[in-house]
Amino acid sequence: DTAVSQTPKYLVTQMGNDKSIKCEQNLGHDTMYWYKQDSKKFLKIMFSYNNKELIINETVPNRFSPKSPDKAHLNLHINSLELGDSAVYFCASSQTPWDSRGEQFFGPGTRLTVL
Amino acid sequence: QKEVEQNSGPLSVPEGAIASLNCTYSDRGSQSFFWYRQYSGKSPELIMFIYSNGDKEDGRFTAQLNKASQYVSLLIRDSQPSDSATYLCAVKTSYDKVIFGPGTSLSVIP
């Protein structure tokens, strides 16, 4: 029983292409996140949704567009991919954004390589 | 100043020794502090959280928090090779956002 799942696990594509990453959680959590982890392992939040509503929108290029069809799913669409977009993208979920434990459950990650 | 900073690694300790990982944060109103462990090629997993000043122990792990100094640390006693990983400090700020530090890579040498 995978708690937070992401597809695909690996994504290799050419510059300029458009791609999507999908995320699903079966934990019944209200809040989901997208993180980007670069080659130096720095984990940086990109977006957060609570009950399908966008609550965190960090300074990321508008080529990145999240979409939450329901609270169990959060997808990430990236237009016009650039070399600098190469990274591991993690989806995560938590009970609420104000969960005092702060525990976020992470998916396995999607390694995106832009050639 | 970065919001969450960690001691730069990599940190190498011999098996059985105590590993000490440090983290400082800039938002004085932060209330909750977390340590995540990330094995190479895997996703982060929460191993400790602490809210109150002082020490919190869980098995071989001890988290220490000093809010006056804006400092949180993680001690790993009797370090094992299986503890070799990157440790991420995370802070829940006063504006309800969890900020991760850059991580410290720990290597436990058998």
Side-chain angles (χ1 to χ4, degrees):
Chain A
D1 283 348
T2 305
V4 183
S5 59
Q6 291 178 233
T7 54
K9 191 167 173 60
Y10 299 97
L11 189 51
V12 181
T13 189
Q14 300 287 330
M15 257 191 337
N17 284 350
D18 303 339
K19 290 292 178 188
S20 292
I21 307 171
K22 295 188 174 183
C23 178
E24 177 180 1
Q25 55 96 3
N26 63 6
L27 297 166
H29 288 167
D30 286 345
T31 311
M32 295 184 74
Y33 311 81
W34 277 112
Y35 286 90
K36 179 181 180 181
Q37 189 170 47
D38 60 26
S39 56
K40 294 183 180 176
K41 301 289 188 185
F42 194 29
L43 193 65
K44 191 164 183 188
I45 191 165
M46 301 172 69
F47 303 102
S48 176
Y49 272 73
N50 184 53
N51 259 323
K52 302 193 297 176
E53 282 193 35
L54 183 65
I55 57 170
I56 293 175
N57 185 358
E58 290 297 298
T59 309
V60 299
N62 57 15
R63 298 182 294 104
F64 291 78
S65 51
K67 196 162 283 187
S68 182
D70 54 62
K71 71 175 192 177
H73 296 85
L74 179 62
N75 303 323
L76 183 66
H77 188 76
I78 316 169
N79 290 325
S80 303
L81 279 154
E82 299 178 356
L83 293 175
D85 297 332
S86 296
V88 180
Y89 292 83
F90 285 102
C91 176
S93 73
S94 65
Q95 198 117 20
T96 68
W98 306 280
D99 181 1
S100 58
R101 279 174 51 95
E103 183 163 18
Q104 298 182 13
F105 293 81
F106 285 80
T110 296
R111 182 174 293 278
L112 171 65
T113 303
V114 183
L115 303 175
Chain B
Q1 183 190 4
K2 291 192 177 125
E3 292 179 274
V4 179
E5 299 195 64
Q6 297 184 238
N7 48 333
S8 58
L11 178 65
S12 288
V13 299
E15 185 174 353
I18 295 175
S20 177
L21 303 160
N22 304 319
C23 174
T24 58
Y25 59 94
S26 59
D27 177 12
R28 187 169 284 278
S30 299
Q31 293 294 320
S32 307
F33 308 87
F34 314 93
W35 285 99
Y36 282 77
R37 178 178 60 201
Q38 186 176 21
Y39 291 114
S40 180
K42 301 294 185 184
S43 53
E45 56 176 333
L46 182 70
I47 54 171
M48 288 285 283
F49 63 94
I50 185 167
Y51 318 131
S52 306
N53 276 328
D55 295 0
K56 179 181 178 183
E57 191 174 313
D58 183 1
R60 295 185 297 109
F61 298 97
T62 299
Q64 298 175 316
L65 174 61
N66 182 327
K67 289 186 181 179
S69 300
Q70 294 174 240
Y71 173 92
V72 58
S73 65
L74 179 71
L75 300 178
I76 307 175
R77 288 184 302 283
D78 188 24
S79 295
Q80 301 297 307
S82 59
D83 296 325
S84 298
T86 296
Y87 290 81
L88 303 169
C89 172
V91 175
K92 189 170 185 184
T93 65
S94 58
Y95 43 99
D96 277 336
K97 192 188 292 186
V98 175
I99 307 289
F100 284 81
T104 300
S105 175
L106 171 67
S107 181
V108 180
I109 312 299

